[in-house]
Amino acid sequence: MEEVYAFGANPLDRASERRGDAAWVAALLDHPDSRIALLSELKPRVRPGSPAPVIDWQPVAPWRDHIAAGATCVLLGLVDGRARFALDATAVPLGADGAELGDMRALAGIMEAGAAAILGEARAIIDWHARHRFCAACGTSTTVHSAGWSRRCPSCKAQHFPRTDPVVIMLPVRGERCLLGRNARRAGARFSCLAGFVEPGETLEAAVRREVLEESGLRVGRVTYVASQPWPFPSSLMCGFIAEAISDDLKIDHAELATARWFSRAEVLAMAARSAAGEDAPDTLAPPIAIGHHLARRWASGEF
Amino acid sequence: MEEVYAFGANPLDRASERRGDAAWVAALLDHPDSRIALLSELKPRVRPGSPAPVIDWQPVAPWRDHIAAGATCVLLGLVDGRARFALDATAVPLGADGAELGDMRALAGIMEAGAAAILGEARAIIDWHARHRFCAACGTSTTVHSAGWSRRCPSCKAQHFPRTDPVVIMLPVRGERCLLGRNARRAGARFSCLAGFVEPGETLEAAVRREVLEESGLRVGRVTYVASQPWPFPSSLMCGFIAEAISDDLKIDHAELATARWFSRAEVLAMAARSAAGEDAPDTLAPPIAIGHHLARRWASGEF
């Protein structure tokens, strides 16, 4: 089976074909075995646990009034037939019951992988609702359908679905060296792969070649898919590739990359080890929650 | 280099890093070497050509009033430094100059590959503008920026980018047989791969396994990426996979698939040949413009 990275190990049965059955969804909300995860301003409520925090799963009943008042509520999926929902509880202050708000990236590095993936799904879809309350076609306020998986316009009847933005992320390689860069737009960014959004009318492979050329000046020949990762900041789907450069001369776009240079396999392995040990310095590799870390590490290990 | 399918061979330099330079874009619109492709109700204007129709590229000047009046105009990219734009000319009746409106799918099967890809890009982004005139965050009418590659909200300042929806399309295989189905929702659908939209919180591989299980009842183990294809109906990015089934019993979801059954490699090759020869019958394979055709053909040829 393929390697799976942070936010990718979602254990839920999405039951997508049943979401449109409003009576079924209502029965799940009433069921005593159903549980709900809460997010406030997109931060998940978690409880201390060992070795890491756990999702603060709540019974649904105490939250029924908030749901009825219009707080975004989404059916994330089922575990052994028992429903798991997510609720936007931004309007509700934390109680004194020991729950706390966690940072999603920090949690993804320490929580059980399935729990982190569930919270990533919850974050992506709650954020989509928050930013898509109106019909993009006509401007009318839309209503939630399909247990939180669509919005419909009462005026023009348009149906809107959660958005997922494909991003290519790639390691340019040339013989025994690979190119890593530091993002110019993120303070404290470490060395990682290049990346960019796929545009209408592009294949994934064409997007890889365009982004590498734009950011580094390198021409890319063969492009090899490695793995994908959902990245809920806010709604990316990272598609990871190895990109074989067929030219050498770097022409760095400093609007995109603060710096970029070639690394040997040994250098990458050393940086990956420091990063995996928790070191956070500008001259080390992106953290292990990021697929870019693994593309570089796997290439450096001789996998490609 | 990888195989490239219909809409995938886009030859344009998108010059994406310069789109935000309004003076540069205005100069391109004024330049006598610039050309503009016209779409009416998303159908491209083409001219008869041999062996196939060609894009009816127009000088920009006669269309300046339409652009000034607010018709959607997008910088598709550059060819040898010369700009290629697309214009939504739905409001303008066809003249008597020999141009005609073409069907995008039919054209993609016969036109030069690069031209079809350019028209696919034009269709996807013009359609995106038509369906996203208002801010999804606050309902205000938005304005076009970056040569047609973003819209901005004058009220809440939200920035909106063209949407590209990742779709997984996969051929389930089990030993020497593969599963093909006929879509229940499209009249006249032929046998093809299974497919479905990737959801927030999913890897591509998880989406493959979920869709195959939902539609066919088969459990999937190893998933192998093959190729991708932009599919501008309206804004899909098809991500093609081979999906190794680890169970045998079919449980077809007839809301999705009118029928589905196992095929031998020889059967698939025979169907692919009939389809490539232009035969359009329910018991043949999806046409060669579709990546599903090639996933099945390549597996049947022993490539995987």
Side-chain angles (χ1 to χ4, degrees):
Chain A
M1 243 26 112
E2 73 274 5
E3 285 192 14
V4 176
Y5 309 122
F7 305 114
N10 200 313
L12 297 181
D13 168 7
R14 290 169 176 255
S16 65
E17 72 286 5
R18 302 192 68 184
R19 292 171 188 154
D21 181 346
W24 180 71
V25 175
L28 289 179
L29 277 169
D30 281 338
H31 199 287
D33 288 345
S34 296
R35 291 290 179 274
I36 196 159
L38 312 174
L39 279 76
S40 293
E41 290 176 342
L42 301 180
K43 290 177 182 291
R45 295 199 190 193
V46 294
R47 294 188 165 278
S50 179
V54 295
I55 300 174
D56 181 34
W57 288 116
Q58 299 268 324
V60 177
W63 299 94
R64 205 171 297 279
D65 290 350
H66 296 282
I67 298 169
T72 297
C73 179
V74 177
L75 175 61
L76 298 174
L78 310 176
V79 180
D80 299 330
R82 296 191 298 271
R84 295 290 181 266
F85 290 90
L87 179 71
D88 183 353
T90 298
V92 186
L94 276 177
D97 63 350
E100 46 196 52
L101 298 182
D103 174 80
M104 191 74 81
R105 284 182 176 82
L107 288 170
I110 54 175
M111 278 182 103
E112 189 270 316
I118 289 171
L119 291 180
E121 177 190 354
R123 184 191 203 279
I125 192 158
I126 284 179
D127 183 47
W128 177 75
H129 282 285
R131 293 184 300 114
H132 295 80
R133 299 205 178 280
F134 294 84
C135 178
C138 79
T140 304
S141 180
T142 53
T143 56
V144 178
H145 288 261
S146 297
W149 289 88
S150 79
R151 302 185 69 98
R152 288 189 205 158
C153 178
S155 174
C156 77
K157 309 299 179 197
Q159 200 168 358
H160 303 278
F161 296 98
R163 177 172 172 141
T164 297
D165 299 310
V167 170
V168 286
I169 178 164
M170 50 273 165
L171 183 73
V173 301
R174 177 86 161 144
E176 291 300 305
R177 299 185 308 167
C178 73
L179 186 79
L180 297 171
R182 274 209 296 257
N183 193 306
R185 291 175 182 165
R186 231 177 30 243
R190 311 189 213 165
F191 279 104
S192 191
C193 295
L194 310 189
F197 288 101
V198 182
E199 296 197 340
E202 278 187 322
T203 63
L204 288 165
E205 291 78 6
V208 167
R209 293 191 182 99
R210 176 180 56 77
E211 288 284 350
V212 172
L213 183 62
E214 285 175 7
E215 297 191 4
S216 74
L218 294 175
R219 300 202 167 269
V220 166
R222 189 169 154 194
V223 167
T224 306
Y225 174 80
V226 177
S228 64
Q229 177 190 36
W231 190 249
F233 308 104
S235 53
S236 293
L237 172 66
M238 311 302 287
C239 301
F241 291 86
I242 302 295
E244 293 181 24
I246 52 176
S247 66
D248 289 293
D249 290 342
L250 294 178
K251 191 179 155 193
I252 304 301
D253 175 0
H254 288 289
E256 297 285 340
L257 297 174
T259 183
R261 71 169 179 89
W262 296 102
F263 289 83
S264 70
R265 293 188 199 253
E267 283 178 294
V268 172
L269 287 178
M271 289 162 73
R274 289 167 56 207
S275 166
E279 195 177 328
D280 178 8
D283 68 340
T284 184
L285 197 63
I289 64 165
I291 188 174
H293 175 102
H294 299 281
L295 293 173
R297 173 189 58 76
R298 289 171 69 177
W299 171 80
S301 305
E303 195 173 327
F304 314 111
Chain B
M1 242 30 111
E2 72 273 4
E3 285 192 14
V4 175
Y5 308 123
F7 305 113
N10 201 312
L12 298 180
D13 168 6
R14 290 168 176 255
S16 65
E17 71 286 5
R18 303 192 68 183
R19 291 170 189 155
D21 181 345
W24 180 71
V25 175
L28 289 178
L29 277 168
D30 280 339
H31 199 286
D33 288 345
S34 295
R35 291 291 179 274
I36 196 160
L38 312 173
L39 279 76
S40 292
E41 291 176 341
L42 301 180
K43 290 178 183 290
R45 295 199 190 191
V46 294
R47 293 188 165 277
S50 179
V54 295
I55 299 173
D56 182 35
W57 289 115
Q58 298 268 323
V60 177
W63 300 93
R64 206 173 297 280
D65 290 351
H66 296 283
I67 297 169
T72 297
C73 179
V74 176
L75 175 61
L76 298 174
L78 311 176
V79 181
D80 298 330
R82 295 191 297 273
R84 295 292 180 265
F85 290 90
L87 179 72
D88 184 354
T90 299
V92 186
L94 275 178
D97 63 351
E100 45 195 51
L101 297 182
D103 174 81
M104 191 75 80
R105 284 183 176 81
L107 288 171
I110 55 176
M111 277 182 105
E112 188 269 318
I118 289 171
L119 291 180
E121 177 189 355
R123 184 191 202 281
I125 191 158
I126 284 179
D127 183 49
W128 176 75
H129 282 285
R131 294 184 298 114
H132 294 80
R133 299 204 178 281
F134 294 84
C135 178
C138 78
T140 304
S141 181
T142 53
T143 55
V144 178
H145 288 260
S146 296
W149 289 88
S150 79
R151 300 185 71 97
R152 288 190 205 158
C153 177
S155 174
C156 79
K157 310 299 179 197
Q159 201 169 356
H160 302 279
F161 296 97
R163 178 174 171 138
T164 297
D165 299 311
V167 170
V168 286
I169 178 163
M170 51 272 164
L171 183 73
V173 301
R174 176 87 160 144
E176 291 301 303
R177 300 184 307 167
C178 73
L179 186 79
L180 297 170
R182 273 210 296 259
N183 193 306
R185 292 175 182 164
R186 231 179 28 245
R190 311 187 213 166
F191 279 104
S192 191
C193 295
L194 310 189
F197 288 101
V198 182
E199 296 197 341
E202 279 187 322
T203 62
L204 288 165
E205 292 77 7
V208 167
R209 295 192 181 98
R210 175 179 57 78
E211 287 286 349
V212 173
L213 183 63
E214 285 175 8
E215 295 191 5
S216 74
L218 294 175
R219 298 199 168 271
V220 165
R222 189 169 153 193
V223 167
T224 305
Y225 174 80
V226 176
S228 63
Q229 178 190 36
W231 190 248
F233 307 104
S235 54
S236 292
L237 172 66
M238 312 301 287
C239 301
F241 290 87
I242 303 295
E244 293 180 23
I246 52 175
S247 65
D248 290 292
D249 290 343
L250 294 178
K251 190 179 157 196
I252 304 301
D253 175 1
H254 288 290
E256 297 285 341
L257 297 174
T259 181
R261 72 169 178 87
W262 295 103
F263 289 82
S264 71
R265 293 188 198 253
E267 283 178 294
V268 172
L269 287 177
M271 290 162 73
R274 288 166 56 207
S275 166
E279 195 176 328
D280 178 8
D283 68 341
T284 185
L285 196 63
I289 63 164
I291 188 174
H293 175 102
H294 299 282
L295 293 173
R297 173 188 57 76
R298 290 171 69 178
W299 171 81
S301 304
E303 195 175 326
F304 314 112

